[in-house]
């Protein structure tokens, strides 16, 4: 496995509200762990919310007595959500929240959880968004009220319908994907996807096969296209350096 991650403040924002965590080594009962969080823009303490949530999820996963990965992640995310709501009772932190996308890889499969509109893609000859955006424009697309190609430029594209910190009744999406040889996993905040469309993301990934160059090139593209938000990226090559059987 090879991984690389990076955040960038972008060209407009004064504070970086994105937060990342990566571990190629076990965390609790999980073989590895990767997380992207994007503090809710326009709300108080979005930077605090993303960091607090990620750190609590990692701690809770590390201390979990569960052995089933979905249960481990679900319990950790829901408890982190509860803790964030408790912190949000402080006046200076009121209204804070964050997106969250979590991934762990085991035996050639990726288990993914997400809340909000940060994304996970699989790139293996084509680019495929695995996660579903919990956003107003995505709901409009699903209802046939908005064309997919217009979603990225819609004025309400930043309005999310689910978030960590939005309430105690938290609904988490889970996905399980069998990974193909030579595939690449991309996890990112919307600071990338609002600035660079999927086809251009795939083009950049295909041209730069090193995980460091891929990450740096994607951030550069987002900033060159306006860099209107913070950018967070994790690139994972799950089968890199594995010996192929003849």
């Amino acid at each position: 496995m090879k991984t690389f991650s990076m955040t960038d403040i972008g060209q407009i924002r004064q504070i970086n509200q994105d937060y990342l965590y990566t571990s190629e080594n076990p965390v609790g009962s999980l073989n590895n762990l990767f997380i992207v969080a994007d503090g809710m823009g326009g709300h108080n303490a979005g930077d605090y919310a993303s960091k607090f949530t990620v750190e609590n999820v990692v701690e809770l996963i590390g201390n979990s007595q569960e052995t089933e990965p979905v249960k481990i992640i679900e319990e950790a995310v829901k408890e982190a959500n509860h803790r964030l709501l408790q912190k949000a009772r402080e006046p200076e932190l009121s209204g804070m929240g964050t997106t969250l996308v979590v991934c762990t890889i085991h035996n050639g499969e990726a288990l993914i959880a997400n809340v909000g509109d940060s994304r996970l893609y699989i790139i293996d000859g084509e680019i495929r968004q695995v996660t579903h955006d919990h956003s107003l424009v995505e709901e409009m697309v699903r209802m046939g009220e908005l064309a997919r190609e217009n979603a990225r430029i819609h004025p309400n594209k930043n309005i999310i319908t689910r978030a960590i910190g939005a309430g105690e009744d938290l609904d988490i999406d889970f996905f399980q994907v069998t990974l193909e040889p030579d595939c690449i996993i991309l996890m990112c905040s919307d600071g990338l996807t609002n600035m660079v469309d999927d086809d251009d993301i795939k083009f950049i990934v295909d041209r730069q096969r090193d995980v460091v160059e891929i990450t740096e090139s994607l951030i550069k593209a987002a900033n060159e296209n306006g860099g209107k938000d913070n950018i967070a990226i994790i690139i994972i090559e799950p089968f890199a350096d594995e010996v192929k059987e003849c």
Side-chain angles (χ1 to χ4, degrees):
M1 177 183 289
K2 287 183 179 178
T3 69
F4 190 73
S5 62
M6 183 182 294
T7 66
D8 189 270
I9 198 169
Q11 301 297 300
I12 305 296
R13 298 292 177 91
Q14 301 300 309
I15 297 173
N16 192 344
Q17 296 183 325
D18 289 356
Y19 197 78
L20 298 173
Y21 176 84
T22 68
S23 177
E24 297 179 22
N25 299 313
V27 178
S29 296
L30 302 183
N31 281 13
N32 44 67
L33 184 62
F34 307 94
I35 306 175
V36 172
D38 179 359
M40 290 170 64
H43 291 71
N44 295 331
D47 54 330
Y48 183 96
S50 58
K51 184 174 187 290
F52 179 90
T53 300
V54 171
E55 289 179 347
N56 276 269
V57 167
V58 173
E59 174 202 331
L60 290 158
I61 288 174
N63 294 333
S64 177
Q65 300 304 304
E66 293 285 344
T67 57
E68 204 282 312
V70 171
K71 193 70 173 175
I72 293 169
I73 295 171
E74 181 178 32
E75 289 186 354
V77 171
K78 287 187 173 181
E79 176 59 22
N81 178 66
H82 173 72
R83 292 181 182 183
L84 190 69
L85 287 168
Q86 297 297 109
K87 291 293 293 185
R89 292 178 178 178
E90 300 175 19
E92 67 273 18
L93 299 176
S94 177
M96 67 178 173
T98 185
T99 69
L100 194 73
V101 58
V102 181
C103 178
T104 186
I105 300 165
H106 179 64
N107 286 342
E109 291 191 331
L111 174 66
I112 303 117
N114 88 291
V115 178
D117 63 353
S118 294
R119 295 179 178 178
L120 183 145
Y121 290 89
I122 303 290
I123 304 169
D124 55 0
E126 61 180 7
I127 184 167
R128 176 164 53 101
Q129 181 182 337
V130 176
T131 52
H132 297 159
D133 292 353
H134 304 136
S135 65
L136 179 61
V137 294
E138 184 62 25
E139 293 293 334
M140 294 169 68
V141 169
R142 283 199 284 264
M143 296 293 290
E145 299 171 1
L146 180 68
R148 172 69 63 187
E149 57 269 21
N150 295 328
R152 192 167 65 89
I153 58 173
H154 195 277
N156 294 329
K157 64 182 181 297
N158 292 325
I159 299 176
I160 60 176
T161 55
R162 290 191 218 170
I164 308 295
E168 286 285 2
D169 187 17
L170 180 66
D171 191 10
I172 308 166
D173 283 354
F174 282 91
F175 307 89
Q176 195 153 351
V177 179
T178 300
L179 302 172
E180 298 297 329
D182 300 321
C183 76
I184 288 176
I185 297 170
L186 163 65
M187 301 170 67
C188 62
S189 63
D190 66 352
L192 174 66
T193 54
N194 284 341
M195 294 291 100
V196 186
D197 66 28
D198 287 5
D199 288 341
D200 287 338
I201 289 172
K202 180 181 180 299
F203 180 76
I204 291 168
V205 170
D206 286 346
R207 289 187 66 196
Q208 310 286 344
R209 297 302 292 184
D210 175 82
V211 291
V212 177
E213 291 185 0
I214 290 170
T215 307
E216 292 174 343
S217 296
L218 288 171
I219 287 175
K220 181 181 178 183
N223 280 324
E224 287 178 346
N225 289 348
K228 294 180 180 179
D229 202 351
N230 310 141
I231 309 150
I233 295 173
I234 300 174
I235 296 290
I236 307 166
E237 289 186 345
F239 302 115
D241 294 333
E242 289 193 5
V243 177
K244 296 182 180 180
E245 294 183 1
C246 298

